[in-house]
Amino acid sequence: MSNYWKYSPTSFEQFDGKTDYMLFIDETGVPTLKNYNQNNRWFSMTGVLIAGEEGENIISDIMAIKHKYWKNAMFNEQRVVFHSRDYRKKIGAFNPKIINYPNMSTELLQFIERANITIFSSGINKDFLTKRYSHPYPVYWFSLVFLIERYAFYLEERGKTGIIVLEARGRKEDLNLLRNIVPKIKSGTNYVSGSTCSRIKGVYFNNKRTADKKQSYPYLELADMIGYELHNKICKDIESTLYRKVKSKIYNYPNIEGYGLKKFGEDNQL
């Protein structure tokens, strides 16, 4: 695998089963600490871990649903993407006038329930962060480091290597983030050694769709769908139907506190 990813934000396209593990990460909420209010004081980040050999099965199952409910798995000449907001609001491709929404939703939840995945998630209460630290870490970075550390431990325990795929946010933002991540993977963090972090062999940035809009990255769609439900659990203690179907997949379940789930903030923080 090329080391080009270390120098410039690069898309991951090698879904060929040759990578031991892949961690796909999406965020929910707004990471800025400037002018936030109590309606967006929580920020969370969720990673969906998939073993390389499971990748093709997951893509096949997601695409089977898309092809069943949308002609050629397309809507408005673009590949259908399972995006939590559109799915929950039943808009765009998920308009019940277009598809049999109840049946599609049932099949999607059944697929997610049986999918062989592992979940890591972290949530940050911005009030907690700003009160505890006079110069707090950037929220996005604070959340991401927790996932990197837990993922590195996971790989170390199994003697494996893996890669991380983040949803692209913009070339400048992605490049700045990459410049922060690479040294951590090489030298380690305050809690995890460089030898352990170095089991992460690549950090990539993918959009939800390819440039021509004809293909998508189903693993990031899973991270988006599941991430929203973890966010609601973290900041509102709401357990949706989808959350109940995936909670046993959170790393180290049922003892997830500090392992598969970390909540920074409030007296009852996990």
Side-chain angles (χ1 to χ4, degrees):
M1 188 176 294
S2 170
N3 284 327
Y4 182 73
W5 66 269
K6 292 182 178 180
Y7 309 105
S8 179
T10 305
S11 177
F12 184 76
E13 305 292 342
Q14 298 165 298
F15 302 103
D16 52 13
K18 295 180 180 179
T19 303
D20 290 339
Y21 288 99
M22 303 174 288
L23 185 69
F24 297 86
I25 297 175
D26 199 13
E27 75 270 13
T28 304
V30 181
T32 181
L33 288 173
K34 295 181 179 179
N35 301 319
Y36 73 88
N37 57 50
Q38 293 307 295
N39 292 325
N40 66 5
R41 66 191 175 102
W42 281 97
F43 176 82
S44 67
M45 187 173 285
T46 296
V48 173
L49 184 150
I50 300 170
E53 67 269 16
E54 293 289 334
E56 290 186 3
N57 293 332
I58 287 175
I59 289 178
S60 177
D61 287 349
I62 290 180
M63 290 308 300
I65 296 173
K66 291 183 181 183
H67 278 287
K68 181 174 180 179
Y69 290 95
W70 294 272
K71 184 178 180 181
N72 298 322
M74 305 286 280
F75 174 72
N76 283 347
E77 300 184 357
Q78 297 184 11
R79 173 56 44 85
V80 170
V81 167
F82 284 115
H83 184 269
S84 177
R85 181 181 181 276
D86 293 352
Y87 168 78
R88 288 180 285 107
K89 292 183 176 294
K90 302 179 183 179
I91 59 177
F94 303 96
N95 188 328
K97 294 180 180 179
I98 297 171
I99 60 167
N100 185 329
Y101 183 90
N103 286 7
M104 179 279 299
S105 184
T106 296
E107 288 193 38
L108 178 63
L109 293 178
Q110 288 173 343
F111 153 69
I112 292 175
E113 185 174 26
R114 69 174 182 267
N116 188 6
I117 59 177
T118 300
I119 298 168
F120 298 87
S121 191
S122 65
I124 294 178
N125 181 333
K126 299 176 193 176
D127 288 344
F128 163 82
L129 197 63
T130 55
K131 290 175 183 177
R132 174 160 291 199
Y133 304 102
S134 57
H135 300 286
Y137 281 115
V139 174
Y140 189 99
W141 180 244
F142 198 100
S143 292
L144 182 59
V145 168
F146 173 81
L147 296 190
I148 289 174
E149 291 174 343
R150 277 13 180 220
Y151 184 39
F153 279 135
Y154 186 97
L155 297 173
E156 179 81 4
E157 289 171 356
R158 289 157 180 77
K160 301 292 186 178
T161 61
I163 59 100
I164 290 173
V165 180
L166 296 153
E167 183 175 1
R169 297 188 297 162
R171 185 163 183 82
K172 181 179 178 181
E173 293 91 338
D174 295 345
L175 182 57
N176 287 338
L177 185 60
L178 185 65
R179 287 172 174 168
N180 281 303
I181 293 176
V182 171
K184 296 295 183 186
I185 290 176
K186 180 179 179 180
S187 304
T189 70
N190 292 337
Y191 300 101
V192 183
S193 71
S195 62
T196 298
C197 285
S198 292
R199 289 187 173 275
I200 299 171
K201 300 299 183 182
V203 178
Y204 299 87
F205 300 84
N206 287 27
N207 292 302
K208 282 288 198 308
R209 293 186 181 93
T210 54
D212 63 7
K213 310 297 184 183
K214 304 301 183 184
Q215 302 293 330
S216 65
Y217 297 100
Y219 311 120
L220 281 175
E221 296 171 54
L222 267 180
D224 181 290
M225 294 286 293
I226 293 171
Y228 179 83
E229 309 307 327
L230 266 292
H231 183 79
N232 268 354
K233 171 61 177 176
I234 288 169
C235 65
K236 300 177 183 177
D237 200 29
I238 294 175
E239 296 192 2
S240 67
T241 299
L242 197 160
Y243 177 83
R244 291 193 295 272
K245 290 182 180 298
V246 301
K247 67 180 180 180
S248 64
K249 303 178 189 293
I250 300 174
Y251 179 58
N252 207 48
Y253 180 85
N255 301 310
I256 60 176
E257 295 86 357
Y259 292 90
L261 181 64
K262 181 69 174 180
K263 185 175 179 180
F264 299 91
E266 301 181 346
D267 293 336
N268 63 339
Q269 65 177 295
L270 298 177

